[in-house]
Amino acid sequence: MTANGQRCQCQKHVFNATCWERGVRRGFVAAIALCLTLLPQAPAFSVARGSDPDDAPANTLDIQASTRAILKDAQGRIWLRVTIRAYEPLGLFWDARGWLDSRGGARADYRLHMFWLDQEGRGCVLRSTPQWPHSVTKGKFTQLSETTSHVASCRWLLSSVKHSKPIRWTLRSVVPFSGKTTDRAPDEGWYP
């Protein structure tokens, strides 16, 4: 019974709750569910992908695809990430170089170098090109498996890249130590 003597339309009270309390509880659960679905999950501010045909000589790095992403981590830091995917497993001896255009114009603004050179080491470096004040930034390198992974990524804090437009990029696979290009991705021009 309600306070004014009318009969409650609810069935048996659950957990000794009144009809009104059950309605509030259901509304609260629905609001929480809605909020959880709207929370950002490591948002990507910008992602661009490019692909390249299977066209490199045997036993060299043949870039299948690459991705350039700008991401925000759980601590609120914003990162630039470049990922390459190869047709064959990368292994322990490969070298990829690239260029980033972050300000427009005819020339690249940064050179990137991603590598795993067996005993010589592994990693990634981002260097400004000569027309800008010189800077060298080591990145965070990731290759999931030493021998079977087709994917490697490098990321740098976005604050280390001066940019005034969406960042476009191009990549080359090279013979380690000689620098001879074996594959271009894309074959001509830039990824958007």
Side-chain angles (χ1 to χ4, degrees):
M1 291 288 232
T2 63
N4 62 1
Q6 294 181 346
R7 195 174 170 108
C8 184
Q9 298 298 319
C10 294
Q11 297 296 325
K12 181 77 173 151
H13 293 301
V14 178
F15 303 114
N16 293 325
T18 65
C19 292
W20 181 84
E21 289 169 333
R22 283 182 54 200
V24 169
R25 198 174 301 146
R26 284 183 184 159
F28 180 73
V29 170
I32 293 294
L34 179 64
C35 288
L36 289 175
T37 61
L38 296 176
L39 283 177
Q41 303 295 324
F45 296 128
S46 170
V47 176
R49 293 178 178 83
S51 60
D52 188 62
D54 188 356
D55 58 355
N59 299 318
T60 63
L61 170 61
D62 190 358
I63 299 169
Q64 178 182 13
S66 67
T67 305
R68 189 267 311 137
I70 297 175
L71 307 163
K72 186 175 185 180
D73 68 11
Q75 289 79 32
R77 296 174 298 189
I78 300 174
W79 297 88
L80 166 65
R81 183 180 69 200
V82 176
T83 302
I84 61 170
R85 175 179 295 279
Y87 282 98
E88 295 83 24
L90 292 168
L92 300 175
F93 198 68
W94 59 270
D95 195 343
R97 304 196 183 166
W99 292 265
L100 301 175
D101 177 19
S102 62
R103 297 182 186 185
R107 301 177 72 188
D109 301 306
Y110 295 90
R111 294 176 296 159
L112 67 91
H113 187 195
M114 299 170 65
F115 57 93
W116 190 316
L117 302 175
D118 198 18
Q119 301 298 320
E120 299 294 319
R122 60 183 178 230
C124 49
V125 178
L126 189 65
R127 290 182 173 90
S128 61
T129 54
Q131 72 262 30
W132 303 111
H134 185 69
S135 68
V136 177
T137 307
K138 287 186 178 182
K140 296 189 181 289
F141 176 82
T142 306
Q143 181 176 329
L144 296 180
S145 166
E146 294 180 355
T147 56
T148 61
S149 180
H150 291 252
V151 178
S153 293
C154 283
R155 64 185 175 131
W156 300 269
L157 283 171
L158 186 60
S159 60
S160 63
V161 177
K162 306 296 183 239
H163 62 288
S164 60
K165 63 177 229 34
I167 300 169
R168 63 184 183 151
W169 76 106
T170 184
L171 297 170
R172 307 284 185 265
S173 65
V174 297
V175 175
F177 303 114
S178 77
K180 180 184 174 210
T181 298
T182 57
D183 187 29
R184 296 176 188 274
D187 287 336
E188 294 180 18
W190 298 79
Y191 290 122

